[in-house]
Amino acid sequence: MQALIERLEYQQDGRLINKATSDYADKYTNNWGYRRVTWDRGKLGRVREYAHRLVWVMHNGGIPDGMMVDHINLDKSDNRIENLRLVNKSGNAQNAKWKGYCFDKRAGKWRAEIKLDGKVTWLGLHETESQARQAYLNAKRELHEFASETVLK
């Protein structure tokens, strides 16, 4: 990864420039919306790396085992260093867009629950979607230290 980083220049908007060509090195986006950098190593083949990981390493050094680089504002293409943070797998899952509530046909009410460290906490059945959503958001604010404000809206 270090050899690839040496070929790149970080821009204030979070984009990566190929120093040799002055073109965007992170112009490719995968199916999930993450920017990728591809580097052809000749006979050794191609290397593909996520741009957000490269930006993190450029500014902070390595990524410790068990940690992931998370996009604070949930925009997977926004690789500005101030939008990136290290989290563990559980912390990364806290920004999932799953809303934490749904209509329970058997009960005829709205069910709310929240997951933390693989454990599901039941938040009850509610008469309205709004009540179930509020129960979920209150629990999320209390339990998920990495919850993005975007998710909490």
Side-chain angles (χ1 to χ4, degrees):
M1 184 184 287
Q2 193 59 40
L4 178 55
I5 287 173
E6 290 172 7
R7 297 170 180 256
L8 302 173
E9 181 180 320
Y10 172 81
Q11 302 292 298
Q12 293 296 68
D13 65 357
R15 300 293 304 271
L16 295 173
I17 302 292
N18 181 329
K19 289 179 184 176
T21 64
S22 298
D23 292 332
Y24 284 117
D26 59 356
K27 58 187 167 189
Y28 302 107
T29 304
N30 71 7
N31 293 339
W32 299 281
Y34 292 101
R35 292 189 184 281
R36 304 268 320 239
V37 174
T38 301
W39 173 39
D40 188 357
R41 298 183 303 165
K43 292 180 181 178
L44 296 175
R46 288 187 162 195
V47 173
R48 289 184 189 95
E49 187 62 66
Y50 288 114
H52 61 280
R53 292 175 51 82
L54 292 167
V55 169
W56 181 267
V57 172
M58 290 171 101
H59 286 85
N60 299 294
I63 300 170
D65 288 342
M67 300 300 281
M68 308 168 103
V69 180
D70 181 46
H71 291 86
I72 297 168
N73 71 0
L74 305 183
D75 180 349
K76 298 170 187 174
S77 67
D78 182 355
N79 296 319
R80 293 172 298 125
I81 189 62
E82 59 268 19
N83 186 47
L84 303 176
R85 63 181 169 196
L86 278 184
V87 296
N88 59 19
K89 186 176 181 180
S90 176
N92 195 45
Q94 291 174 18
N95 273 337
K97 290 186 178 182
W98 182 74
K99 49 187 178 179
Y101 56 94
C102 62
F103 189 73
D104 186 325
K105 289 181 182 178
R106 286 191 290 178
K109 295 184 178 189
W110 288 85
R111 178 181 71 203
E113 57 190 30
I114 194 164
K115 190 173 185 179
L116 181 64
D117 295 328
K119 180 183 173 195
V120 176
T121 300
W122 174 255
L123 302 174
L125 291 171
H126 304 272
E127 295 296 324
T128 67
E129 179 180 9
S130 178
Q131 290 170 339
R133 180 178 188 277
Q134 196 56 54
Y136 169 72
L137 291 177
N138 289 343
K140 190 160 190 69
R141 282 186 187 95
E142 183 179 327
L143 298 174
H144 289 175
E145 78 177 286
F146 295 111
S148 165
E149 283 304 313
T150 304
V151 173
L152 294 173
K153 291 181 182 174

